[in-house]
Amino acid sequence: METQKVITTLNELLQTCHDGTKGFRACAKDVKSTKLVPVFEAGARRCEGGATELAAEIRKLGGEPASGGSVSGALYRVWTDLVSTLSGHSEKAVLEQCERAEDEAKKIYEKAIALDLPPVIKSLVTQQFAGLKENHDRIRKLRDELSA
């Protein structure tokens, strides 16, 4: 695969990580439950770690890491803020919005994994995807517990 395409793909994933960090921090701020704040903060830290790893790979390839999130991520955070406000920051509403964001991140990672990436980079992306799925499943489980 052409180096520039690999850099572009990694930058898209990097923006997704930036979006995740901001989204999880927004959820931690919006939720009233002290039980959920550490879950969202852990998600934010995992996204930050992923962003650091991706930025390092982009630099190794001679690229410039993206410095912010995506436009769609910014729009999604506005939507999440609106829903949280309208729902009175209910735990379930915040978890539902967080799960939707993780669903979008999963799609972006799945698209990248399907590409013919260099083995070292494919391994990194696959490892990060596994962590993303863990975050998603944890959020879904907490949401389901609130629905029960």
Side-chain angles (χ1 to χ4, degrees):
M1 175 180 250
E2 179 186 321
T3 301
Q4 190 53 49
K5 181 144 173 91
V6 174
I7 291 169
T8 299
T9 299
L10 291 178
N11 264 320
E12 185 175 350
L13 296 174
L14 178 57
Q15 289 176 319
T16 301
C17 288
H18 290 315
D19 290 340
T21 300
K22 291 173 186 171
F24 276 120
R25 291 254 156 77
C27 288
K29 179 186 71 137
D30 287 343
V31 76
K32 295 174 185 172
S33 168
T34 56
K35 173 186 169 187
L36 294 178
V37 171
V39 172
F40 294 138
E41 285 296 333
R45 284 190 302 277
R46 178 173 268 165
C47 290
E48 285 176 330
T52 299
E53 292 172 339
L54 291 167
E57 289 302 320
I58 292 166
R59 284 186 192 97
K60 284 181 192 174
L61 293 169
E64 184 64 33
S67 59
S70 66
V71 172
S72 61
L75 294 174
Y76 191 81
R77 281 189 300 281
V78 170
W79 171 247
T80 300
D81 288 345
L82 175 63
V83 169
S84 295
T85 300
L86 295 176
S87 69
H89 303 284
S90 79
E91 293 173 10
K92 185 177 177 193
V94 172
L95 287 166
E96 286 171 347
Q97 292 304 317
C98 189
E99 183 181 9
R100 283 189 193 107
E102 290 294 275
D103 285 340
E104 290 305 311
K106 280 173 50 179
K107 289 177 190 175
I108 293 167
Y109 268 82
E110 287 167 346
K111 181 180 159 192
I113 289 170
L115 297 174
D116 185 28
L117 296 170
V120 171
I121 292 174
K122 175 88 102 182
S123 176
L124 171 65
V125 172
T126 301
Q127 177 186 15
Q128 288 188 1
F129 181 65
L132 189 158
K133 287 193 311 187
E134 285 177 25
N135 278 344
H136 176 273
D137 293 348
R138 184 177 306 118
I139 297 298
R140 183 178 48 210
K141 181 178 182 230
L142 290 167
R143 187 218 54 211
D144 290 348
E145 288 173 2
L146 287 174
S147 297

